[in-house]
Amino acid sequence: MFAEKVYVERRERLKKQFQTGKLLFLGNDESGINYADNTYFYRQDSTFLYYFGVSKPDLIALIDIDEDKEYIFGDDPTIDSIVWTGSQPKISELAGKAGIHHTGDLSAFRKKIASFDKQSVKYLPPYRGEHFLKLKDFLGYDVEEATAKASKELIVAIADQRIIKSQEEIEEIEKAVDVTADMHFAAMHFARAGMTEAQVTAKVNEVAIAAGGNLSYPIIGTINGQFLHNHYHGNTLKEGDLFLLDAGYETPLGYAGDLSSTFPVSRKFTERQKEIYRITLDAHYKAIELSKPGVNFKDVHLQVGGVIFDGLKALGLTKGNTEEAVANGAHALFFQCGTGHLMGLDVHDMENLGEQIVGYAGVPKSTQFGLKSLRLGRELQPGFVLTIEPGIYFIPELIDLWKSNKTNADFINFDEVNKYRNFGGIRNEEDILITETGNRVLGKPLAKTIEEVEAEREKAF
């Protein structure tokens, strides 16, 4: 945990946003894989971590604005649980580390919440099954009601606070990015033709576990990098393949790193691979150059789309006016996702609070293919931490669909594009902090240029 004063100050800032009411925070419980005692890796709710710092199942926190009191409720360990899991602190000890002086068991919480006018209870949108069950039990809401009655006032207050990263948070994220970079270098130094994707992924995972934390999301490690979230690891690497790795480390405090790299399975890139790689790198550098306070990240994304379109135009794959093409979404045949997203305690920061509120400050998102996948479309502010990850992806099924429907035919040379249908995909990704004057790339630098990547690949042979 951070120092006690960090959590006290965070809660004080939150409380100033409310004149009355009860702020309810449901911690996460353990979840069985195939029976109750064989559980998935436990991860505490991020907002609970932010305000209370305690990573333990079966906890509920309450900030009573009316009484000006803060509580953590949970049952103390029994001798049976200690036999299986070892010595454990009492709830009061855990709460004290976050500056909470009022505690009780779960039965005490039931009595307290039963005494409230349920209309006064403000909570965040539920996203796990146990949250819905608890809201039904405590407040009598069914699934639809529980979702509908989540407090927008609380969502906005928390999103506005969590979105600006404090110095201790930035330091923690940099720790995550440093280990994440080591994960990517491990893959570059290990992968060889004849290995499976699973073997490379295991090496990447090993680095995260050895550092004392865990993965911040499931590893994408694939020779089919054209598919954006491909978690299949059963293919065998071959000479001439590109290997795309998207992997991140989560520190014990829950902060995420999120990097991507693309490297040849062979010692060197082919000339065709170099041509596409250079375009993605140009787009990457342009995105970093443009990302600064006062700039809307949606505009950054659209300009990056123009860089990609122009680069492919030089190779004969696209045609026509670039600005018009990007406005029509023609670049999305090759760049279907967003240029980046917010990051912090969650790899997609606060996504459970609602993308329109967090990523767009309440402004409706576009429904255009490609642009609708941009998770961040608001004015950047100092203290934002976000990813930069433009890429180029040749998806055969998408190429065929657009060609048959004549989608953006004025801007796409489909016969030329079809020659790349088995190319795969390329993405580089870094994490940046928006500063008062621009931005700063966080953590240990990855190998990004063709020369740097090929130099790292030599270490595998």
Side-chain angles (χ1 to χ4, degrees):
M1 293 174 63
F2 291 125
E4 175 185 328
K5 68 176 184 178
V6 171
Y7 302 103
V8 172
E9 290 171 358
R10 288 173 176 178
R11 294 192 301 271
E12 287 301 315
R13 283 186 58 198
L14 180 65
K15 287 191 290 186
K16 289 177 182 178
Q17 304 302 310
F18 298 90
Q19 299 298 317
T20 186
K22 325 291 183 181
L23 311 184
L24 175 64
F25 299 86
L26 300 176
N28 286 342
D29 297 349
E30 289 191 307
S31 179
I33 298 173
N34 52 353
Y35 56 89
D37 288 334
N38 186 30
T39 63
Y40 289 100
F41 170 77
Y42 177 72
R43 175 57 156 79
Q44 181 61 285
D45 174 75
S46 292
T47 299
F48 197 100
L49 283 178
Y50 184 83
Y51 290 108
F52 305 97
V54 182
S55 182
K56 184 183 183 301
D58 307 310
L59 297 181
I60 297 172
L62 179 70
I63 298 177
D64 192 325
I65 303 295
D66 304 308
E67 293 185 356
D68 193 24
K69 289 184 178 179
E70 304 165 340
Y71 302 82
I72 289 181
F73 296 92
D75 293 333
D76 284 331
T78 65
I79 191 62
D80 286 337
S81 65
I82 291 171
V83 166
W84 287 101
T85 62
S87 300
Q88 302 169 51
K90 293 183 177 180
I91 300 301
S92 59
E93 296 174 76
L94 293 170
K97 293 181 179 180
I100 300 286
H101 306 297
H102 302 283
T103 62
D105 60 22
L106 293 176
S107 64
F109 171 76
R110 287 179 178 279
K111 292 177 183 177
K112 180 165 284 292
I113 198 167
S115 69
F116 295 157
D117 173 3
K118 69 179 184 179
Q119 302 302 323
S120 71
V121 179
K122 305 179 192 297
Y123 60 87
L124 297 176
Y127 62 92
R128 289 175 61 129
E130 72 261 24
H131 295 167
F132 286 99
L133 291 173
K134 289 177 180 179
L135 291 171
K136 174 69 173 176
D137 186 17
F138 301 148
L139 301 173
Y141 297 148
D142 62 24
V143 171
E144 291 185 358
E145 287 178 311
T147 301
K149 291 181 180 295
S151 170
K152 184 173 181 181
E153 182 185 10
L154 182 59
I155 293 168
V156 171
I158 289 175
D160 286 348
Q161 184 175 350
R162 280 184 58 189
I163 203 169
I164 304 296
K165 301 300 182 284
S166 62
Q167 185 57 40
E168 65 267 6
E169 288 184 288
I170 294 165
E171 291 172 3
E172 194 69 14
I173 292 169
E174 290 219 78
K175 293 176 188 176
V177 177
D178 283 344
V179 176
T180 300
D182 290 339
M183 293 160 66
H184 284 259
F185 282 119
M188 291 183 188
H189 301 165
F190 179 72
R192 295 281 296 274
M195 291 181 179
T196 64
E197 295 163 328
Q199 288 174 293
V200 181
T201 300
K203 178 61 69 173
V204 173
N205 200 351
E206 175 189 338
V207 176
I209 300 301
N214 213 308
L215 300 175
S216 54
Y217 53 93
I219 295 171
I220 299 167
T222 179
I223 57 173
N224 288 319
Q226 69 273 23
F227 302 120
L228 304 180
H229 277 191
N230 179 11
H231 295 125
Y232 177 74
H233 300 138
N235 296 306
T236 299
L237 281 60
K238 306 181 300 297
E239 294 287 344
D241 284 339
L242 288 172
F243 191 88
L244 190 152
L245 177 65
D246 190 334
Y249 175 71
E250 181 176 279
T251 71
L253 294 187
Y255 286 84
D258 183 7
L259 301 177
S260 295
S261 57
T262 308
F263 57 84
V265 171
S266 305
R267 273 186 161 91
K268 306 285 186 181
F269 290 101
T270 67
E271 287 306 311
R272 172 173 278 195
Q273 288 168 349
K274 287 180 182 180
E275 289 175 340
I276 302 299
Y277 192 96
R278 289 189 186 104
I279 298 170
T280 63
L281 205 55
D282 287 345
H284 183 91
Y285 290 140
K286 175 58 72 172
I288 292 177
E289 174 192 331
L290 295 172
S291 297
K292 57 187 68 175
V295 174
N296 191 306
F297 196 71
K298 181 179 178 180
D299 296 332
V300 175
H301 173 75
L302 294 174
Q303 291 195 54
V304 165
V307 172
I308 290 172
F309 189 87
D310 280 339
L312 295 173
K313 189 191 297 185
L315 298 180
L317 278 69
T318 61
K319 58 187 177 181
N321 180 273
T322 298
E323 185 175 344
E324 186 180 349
V326 171
N328 281 274
H331 64 292
L333 177 61
F334 315 98
F335 181 32
Q336 302 84 19
C337 55
T339 296
H341 55 78
L342 294 166
M343 191 184 76
L345 270 171
D346 306 302
V347 70
H348 294 159
D349 208 23
M350 299 179 282
E351 190 160 296
N352 64 301
L353 301 187
E355 204 168 88
Q356 186 170 322
I357 291 175
V358 176
Y360 282 77
V363 176
K365 291 182 61 178
S366 171
T367 59
Q368 184 186 72
F369 178 77
L371 190 54
K372 69 181 181 181
S373 297
L374 177 65
R375 291 186 168 95
L376 176 59
R378 65 186 292 173
E379 187 176 292
L380 300 176
Q381 300 177 43
F384 281 20
V385 172
L386 56 139
T387 67
I388 297 294
E389 50 177 318
I392 294 177
Y393 313 96
F394 293 93
I395 304 172
E397 295 86 349
L398 184 62
I399 295 169
D400 292 343
L401 178 65
W402 277 35
K403 183 177 181 180
S404 65
N405 291 341
K406 295 183 171 55
T407 303
N408 282 309
D410 291 341
F411 305 108
I412 308 293
N413 289 321
F414 286 105
D415 289 342
E416 291 301 311
V417 172
N418 198 53
K419 297 176 183 178
Y420 288 76
R421 64 185 295 111
N422 297 317
F423 181 91
I426 292 177
R427 173 168 70 252
N428 286 296
E429 179 181 13
E430 292 182 291
D431 306 323
I432 67 170
L433 166 71
I434 302 299
T435 64
E436 295 290 339
T437 57
N439 67 68
R440 177 169 68 85
V441 177
L442 296 175
K444 186 183 299 185
L446 272 179
K448 292 188 297 295
T449 68
I450 289 170
E451 295 74 21
E452 289 169 345
V453 172
E454 289 182 345
E456 295 299 330
R457 286 297 291 142
E458 282 295 328
K459 299 175 184 179
F461 296 92

